[in-house]
């Protein structure tokens, strides 16, 4: 058999913007439990619903699944969903390589940009035993859900860097679209990401090596 080959891609940036669910935290078990219940309550096929739930805020996902439904009902259901998800951390674990990846970013410019609200983000990061970034853009901070780029643009601005100086790490179609719309390079992480044409792709975070350079930039080595 021919020897396997690997490729290495190197990107540099001033700051990293990290999605949470599916990117550094594996919360799929909780997401699927909660969204299956919601789909069944609303007469939807849970398997079809699960194809679109990742990456967006809950109310935005509900609007996609039930386009004729009044938005006030989606907002009300979203509050219930967030409470259910925050209380349920069974099966929440770090994505492979996430502890080392986050440790490499300690003291370096990075932000969490998530569709979760602050309480849910803290619950899941704690359950996964990952450090919470000092800069974070949660659901309460934005007026529009991913795939709108608002969250990533706010994260870059709070860190003090231009979009072109940032790299986004995302797992979902909505998140990758948001990163691209923000004018940023996107590293896709995990099984959902590769189909949506990120700048680069890794199965998990064990394929990444981060090195801080003398000029303050972050060198990202992507091993395929």
């Amino acid at each position: 058999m021919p020897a396997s080959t690997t490729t290495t891609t190197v990107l540099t940036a001033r700051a990293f913007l990290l999605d949470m669910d599916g990117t550094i935290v594996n919360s799929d078990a909780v997401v699927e439990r909660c969204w299956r219940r919601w789909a069944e309550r609303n007469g939807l096929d849970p398997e079809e619903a699960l194809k679109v739930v990742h990456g967006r805020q809950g109310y935005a996902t509900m609007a996609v699944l039930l386009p004729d439904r009044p938005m006030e009902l989606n907002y009300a259901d979203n509050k219930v969903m967030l409470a259910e998800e925050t209380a349920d951390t069974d099966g929440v674990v770090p994505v492979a390589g996430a502890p080392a990846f986050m440790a490499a970013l300690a003291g370096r410019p990075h932000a969490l940009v998530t569709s979760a609200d602050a309480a849910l983000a803290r619950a899941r990061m704690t359950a996964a035993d990952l450090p919470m970034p000092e800069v974070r853009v949660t659901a309460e901070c934005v007026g529009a859900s991913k795939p709108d780029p608002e969250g990533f643009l706010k994260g870059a601005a709070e860190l003090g860097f231009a979009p072109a100086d940032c790299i986004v790490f995302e797992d979902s179609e909505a998140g990758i679209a948001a990163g691209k719309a923000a004018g940023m390079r996107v590293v896709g992480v995990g099984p959902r990401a590769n189909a949506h044409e990120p700048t680069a792709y890794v199965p998990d975070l064990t394929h990444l090596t981060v090195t801080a350079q003398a000029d303050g930039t972050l060198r990202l080595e992507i091993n395929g």
Side-chain angles (χ1 to χ4, degrees):
M1 294 179 64
S4 61
T5 59
T6 60
T7 59
T8 299
T9 301
V10 174
L11 301 175
T12 59
R14 292 284 179 183
F16 289 172
L17 302 176
L18 318 176
D19 174 54
M20 182 179 71
D21 294 303
T23 301
I24 56 176
V25 172
N26 183 345
S27 57
D28 283 1
V30 179
V31 171
E32 292 190 8
R33 282 195 294 273
C34 292
W35 279 98
R36 282 181 186 278
R37 289 196 296 266
W38 182 88
E40 289 166 357
R41 287 197 300 266
N42 287 277
L44 298 174
D45 180 347
E47 297 303 324
E48 291 302 310
L50 288 174
K51 293 178 181 178
V52 299
V53 302
H54 297 285
R56 299 178 181 85
Q57 291 189 44
Y59 72 85
T61 295
M62 294 168 191
V64 171
L65 292 168
L66 295 172
D68 297 325
R69 191 181 199 228
M71 279 302 294
E72 56 266 27
L73 294 181
N74 295 337
Y75 288 126
D77 271 10
N78 189 46
K79 289 183 180 180
V80 175
M81 178 74 72
L82 285 170
E84 289 180 358
E85 290 187 295
T86 302
D88 183 357
T89 56
D90 187 24
V92 175
V93 296
V95 166
F101 179 67
M102 297 299 290
L105 294 183
R108 309 297 177 185
H110 68 288
L112 189 72
V113 181
T114 175
S115 293
D117 68 2
L120 179 56
R122 186 164 294 282
R124 287 187 175 162
M125 292 290 282
T126 299
D129 197 24
L130 294 175
M132 179 67 84
E134 181 178 340
V135 176
R136 41 196 183 266
V137 180
T138 57
E140 303 95 330
C141 303
V142 297
S145 172
K146 298 171 186 177
D148 191 283
E150 181 184 359
F152 288 124
L153 292 172
K154 282 195 168 184
E158 189 162 343
L159 290 170
F161 296 102
D165 290 329
C166 300
I167 294 176
V168 164
F169 296 79
E170 265 286 359
D171 73 300
S172 70
E173 179 180 10
I176 291 169
K180 290 180 179 179
M184 301 174 185
R185 292 158 292 164
V186 181
V187 174
V189 180
R192 289 184 286 270
N194 202 23
H196 306 299
E197 300 183 347
T199 309
Y201 167 75
V202 291
D204 59 48
L205 299 174
T206 64
H207 295 260
L208 302 178
T209 302
V210 180
T211 307
Q213 302 189 113
D215 65 354
T217 59
L218 296 169
R219 182 182 189 273
L220 179 68
E221 186 174 300
I222 302 166
N223 299 300

